[in-house]
Amino acid sequence: MNSPSCKRCLLRELDGEYFKSIYQYIASLPEEQRSSSEEYARRLKICRACGDLHNGMCAQCGCFAEVRAAKRRLACPMGRWGQEE
């Protein structure tokens, strides 16, 4: 990955080929474990505005923000968004 450091960038904005396996993982999540597409987009919008997002990773917990946002039962470690029921 030769992308420069990018604050508040998601993985898809850095190097799509390098992170292809992350998106394959998200796509393979069983539907009952996945956030709705609307909730996923809402969560990522919040993450993009957060100062703790660096190169697609949350500086608070070390997760890939897109993976955490894709899982309906996970929540933001800073309380900015919660679990989806």
Side-chain angles (χ1 to χ4, degrees), residues 5 12 18 46 51 55 67 69-70 73 79-80:
S5 179
R12 65 177 169 240
Y18 184 80
I46 293 168
N55 293 315
V67 173
R73 298 287 179 187
R80 294 184 173 107

Side-chain angles (χ1 to χ4, degrees):
M1 180 173 85
N2 294 326
S3 300
S5 179
C6 180
K7 291 184 178 184
R8 299 193 190 128
C9 284
L10 298 171
L11 296 176
R12 65 177 169 240
E13 298 162 325
L14 296 173
D15 185 343
E17 194 60 35
Y18 184 80
F19 295 110
K20 192 175 187 177
S21 64
I22 298 294
Y23 292 105
Q24 289 171 342
Y25 171 75
I26 291 170
S28 74
L29 289 171
E31 189 173 336
E32 65 273 6
Q33 292 179 17
R34 250 184 289 148
S35 297
S36 67
S37 58
E38 296 83 13
E39 180 65 9
Y40 182 65
R42 185 186 79 81
R43 289 173 173 190
L44 290 181
K45 184 177 180 180
I46 293 168
C47 290
R48 289 210 51 179
C50 179
D52 290 321
L53 181 67
H54 301 281
N55 293 315
M57 293 184 74
C58 174
Q60 291 297 313
C61 69
C63 75
F64 288 117
E66 284 142 302
V67 173
R68 182 175 284 275
K71 294 182 176 184
R72 74 181 315 130
R73 298 287 179 187
L74 293 183
C76 168
M78 297 301 292
R80 294 184 173 107
W81 48 265
Q83 295 180 358
E84 183 181 12
E85 295 303 320

